[in-house]
Amino acid sequence: MNTYKLKLGHGEALEKDKKIISDAAKKENWPYNWLWYDRVNGTLEMSLAIPYMNYGAMAPPEIKFSKLLAKHLDSPKKAKKVLQRWSSHFDEISYNIYILREDLSM
C-alpha cells in the first residue's frame, strides 16, 4: 500500500489528476486492481492499495503506466505533465507490504 501525505491546498488539483489517472487505467485496461483510500483522521493522507496474489505478481508490467497514460492522452508530453503534477501534490510518499497469513486469520 502506498501512502501519500498531501500538501495543503492541493486537494482539488489532486482529485482532478486522480481522475485522469484512474480513467486512463480503466479505459486502457490496466492489468491490476486498485483502491484509493482517503483517511479522515486529521492528517492529510491518501492511500493506494494494489492487491497481489504473491511476490512474483509484483513484477513490473510489460507496459509501464507512463506509456499507458501517454496512449490514453495521445501525447507523451501531456502524460509527463500529469505525472509531474501528480508528484507535486505530496510532501511524502511511503509504502508498506502486507501479507495475508491464513494461519493467523480467523
Side-chain angles (χ1 to χ4, degrees):
M1 177 169 10
N2 296 309
T3 301
Y4 301 89
K5 291 192 178 183
L6 182 63
K7 290 179 181 176
L8 285 173
H10 282 248
E12 186 175 335
L14 169 73
E15 290 303 318
K16 287 178 183 177
D17 289 337
K18 187 164 61 169
K19 181 169 178 14
I20 292 168
I21 289 169
S22 295
D23 286 350
K26 291 175 196 174
K27 290 183 181 169
E28 301 297 332
N29 296 315
W30 184 243
Y32 301 105
N33 294 311
W34 74 93
L35 169 72
W36 296 110
Y37 173 72
D38 295 314
R39 296 182 183 173
V40 184
N41 64 359
T43 62
L44 296 172
E45 288 186 0
M46 173 187 75
S47 295
L48 170 62
I50 302 172
Y52 299 97
M53 293 302 293
N54 55 48
Y55 286 114
M58 295 173 76
E62 290 180 30
I63 298 174
K64 290 185 176 185
F65 188 81
S66 57
K67 289 191 184 275
L68 180 133
L69 184 60
K71 178 184 173 196
H72 179 73
L73 298 174
D74 295 321
S75 169
K77 189 175 179 180
K78 286 180 185 177
K80 184 176 181 179
K81 282 185 179 182
V82 168
L83 294 174
Q84 286 174 335
R85 216 173 39 236
W86 176 256
S87 295
S88 75
H89 298 312
F90 310 106
D91 281 326
E92 183 182 324
I93 301 171
S94 60
Y95 70 92
N96 290 301
I97 297 174
Y98 298 95
I99 300 170
L100 174 62
R101 295 258 326 252
E102 295 289 345
D103 60 322
L104 297 177
S105 300
M106 289 188 209

